[in-house]
Amino acid sequence: MKKLRIGCIGVGRLGYQHAENVAYRIPNAELAAVCDINMDRAEEAARQLGAAEYYGDYNEMLEKSDIDAVMITNTSSEHCACIKAACAAHKHIYCEKPTGLTIEELDEIDKAVETNPGRTIQVGFMRRFDRSYQDAKRRVDSGDIGKIIKIRSITRDPACQREDYVRFGPGAGGMFFDMSVHDFDLVRWFAGGEVKSMYAIGGIYEFTEFEAFNDIDNCSVLMQFDNGVMAEVEGSKQGVCGYDVWMEIVGTKGTLLVNSGTTSYVTQKDEYGMRNECQPWFRERFEEAYLREVAAFVDKALTGEASGVDTGDARKAVEMAFMAQKSYDDGKIMCAQQ
Ligand SMILES: NC(=O)c1ccc[n+]([C@@H]2O[C@H](COP(=O)([O-])OP(=O)(O)OC[C@H]3O[C@@H](n4cnc5c(N)ncnc54)[C@H](O)[C@@H]3O)[C@@H](O)[C@H]2O)c1
């Protein structure tokens, strides 16, 4: 069986999970190398996951002609430079969201991708590979709930991860780019149109340490698409019951609810009432989606096909993050043509 030989750039929280999937759970892929600016982490990951090589500098790894593809899973502020270098080295590319953090970076990425024809490029919007979101999309597309009126996409990260937010925040781009970008991609996917107008509000309600890197801990973004569909995106770092991610789609003939994940089908009934345990964090809630998205990338790269979620989709989602940031900063409704 032909295997796609992959090098992973950045083996932190998510990069390690993707690398582990490639090493053990995707039969037509091989983890050829790992890279991390933290060489100890790179060495440890290579040892644990059986990668033959490890690097501290991704440019050195990209020189290896026997590496077919790279997964760019390092800090978001590094993605644009990595995509450009991987395109120059003619690799297939899987890149975590967001691709770029400025319009200039998005333009540079578009140019770089044009110079790398015949290679698959996919961006990590894993909710599109989650079975429940896919099921909801199938129902919307088959007209089960009629014409779509409004979509709500909610992401509440667990408050207990506060320390990690402070560590991770400075290179992540802020709430709209790092977190809500998932919801922007989803509402655009479900609405089947492009955003026409948007208004974003929010602020720091609890995590005052976010001021140091100009971020907020809660936001609410209202928008309308060019086909009339309304949408609302909510982002919060203060999920009290764990990782609380869900979506509601209201149509003329029915409503779909993509529920927040629970860890099991067990409901506990006791003196406090009835409860289900929530998913603790993104890795557990989207464990299968992370595997399915990288497996799909590997299949596409081996057959030379374009990926379903490419830098064009990623650009649209990041542009929506820009609109939201500008609306929030200026306190104004943004219109797409502005
Ligand atoms: N799709 C999702 O649900 C999801 C979830 C979490 C993170 N992410 C994305 O994944 C990416 C990584 O996030 P994380 O949570 O794993 O972060 P992390 O900080 O835990 O890990 C990043 C790793 O990249 C390394 N790194 C930084 N710059 C590097 C460089 N120039 N070359 C090589 N290695 C470098 C760091 O040393 C670290 O080990 C981010 O872009 C983030 O937005 C996506």
Side-chain angles (χ1 to χ4, degrees):
M1 184 202 300
K2 163 97 174 105
K3 289 191 176 198
L4 191 75
R5 287 174 52 81
I6 299 179
C8 183
I9 303 172
V11 277
R13 292 185 306 178
L14 189 60
Y16 189 93
Q17 183 153 348
H18 285 320
E20 194 177 27
N21 280 335
V22 167
Y24 299 126
R25 298 183 195 98
I26 301 177
N28 52 353
E30 182 183 334
L31 186 68
V34 295
C35 167
D36 202 293
I37 40 167
N38 180 335
M39 277 290 266
D40 290 341
R41 188 171 296 160
E43 183 178 10
E44 179 75 352
R47 191 184 58 74
Q48 289 173 340
L49 302 176
E53 292 173 352
Y54 63 91
Y55 297 86
D57 179 347
Y58 61 80
N59 288 303
E60 276 177 41
M61 190 177 84
L62 288 169
E63 281 170 18
K64 299 280 294 184
S65 59
D66 59 349
I67 290 182
D68 309 308
V70 287
M71 295 193 296
I72 300 172
T73 52
N74 55 359
T75 311
S76 299
S77 54
E78 302 279 317
H79 289 180
C80 174
C82 282
I83 292 173
K84 288 197 294 182
C87 283
H90 298 299
K91 306 296 183 193
H92 298 282
I93 300 166
Y94 169 89
C95 181
E96 264 309 326
K97 46 50 63 176
T99 42
L101 292 176
T102 63
I103 294 289
E104 291 72 30
E105 283 192 348
L106 293 178
D107 291 342
E108 288 173 28
I109 290 165
D110 285 348
K111 273 195 202 135
V113 169
E114 275 175 26
T115 66
N116 193 22
R119 299 291 188 275
T120 300
I121 179 152
Q122 184 175 314
V123 180
F125 289 114
M126 80 298 181
R127 293 187 199 176
R128 291 196 189 209
F129 292 84
D130 176 77
R131 288 183 199 275
S132 299
Y133 283 101
Q134 287 185 337
D135 183 17
K137 180 77 165 89
R138 264 192 301 273
R139 292 176 197 230
V140 165
D141 290 347
S142 61
D144 285 10
I145 60 164
K147 191 177 163 196
I148 303 306
I149 300 171
K150 185 169 182 192
I151 307 164
R152 293 174 70 209
S153 186
I154 314 294
T155 300
R156 297 188 191 126
D157 280 355
C160 62
Q161 296 290 336
R162 187 169 182 160
E163 273 179 28
D164 214 30
Y165 301 147
V166 175
R167 177 195 68 81
F168 176 80
M175 178 169 270
F176 299 118
F177 292 83
D178 177 55
M179 180 193 221
S180 304
V181 75
H182 279 297
D183 305 277
F184 293 143
D185 178 60
L186 272 187
V187 294
R188 177 176 170 266
W189 190 43
F190 276 86
E194 300 301 343
V195 71
K196 194 177 74 175
S197 57
M198 184 185 275
Y199 184 51
I201 54 175
I204 294 180
Y205 292 79
E206 175 73 16
F207 299 172
T208 45
E209 59 272 43
F210 280 24
E211 269 173 33
F213 45 93
N214 200 26
D215 203 355
I216 54 178
D217 59 21
N218 278 275
C219 74
S220 185
V221 186
L222 193 64
M223 69 200 85
Q224 189 162 31
F225 286 85
D226 53 8
N227 57 7
V229 173
M230 297 181 283
E232 188 185 342
V233 160
E234 182 195 313
S236 176
K237 294 286 183 188
Q238 278 163 309
V240 286
C241 65
Y243 186 55
D244 193 14
V245 172
W246 51 277
M247 179 181 242
E248 186 183 33
I249 307 148
V250 181
T252 51
K253 293 186 181 149
T255 295
L256 297 173
L257 196 57
V258 179
N259 286 309
S260 185
T262 56
T263 50
S264 79
Y265 296 112
V266 175
T267 299
Q268 186 166 333
K269 301 176 187 177
D270 57 23
E271 63 191 300
Y272 303 107
M274 274 169 53
R275 63 185 181 276
N276 295 87
E277 297 297 326
C278 298
Q279 291 286 5
W281 206 190
F282 61 88
R283 277 170 291 207
E284 293 83 1
R285 168 62 182 87
F286 289 110
E287 184 177 27
E288 193 195 24
Y290 290 130
L291 174 59
R292 295 180 82 217
E293 66 172 344
V294 176
F297 165 71
V298 170
D299 288 344
K300 295 280 184 192
L302 286 172
T303 57
E305 285 177 45
S307 158
V309 202
D310 58 17
T311 44
D313 287 307
R315 180 178 182 113
K316 293 287 183 190
V318 175
E319 283 175 350
M320 289 168 76
F322 270 106
M323 255 177 121
Q325 186 70 57
K326 182 123 181 64
S327 172
Y328 173 77
D329 289 342
D330 297 355
K332 286 185 182 157
I333 298 173
M334 298 298 299
C335 293
Q337 60 271 27
Q338 281 180 344

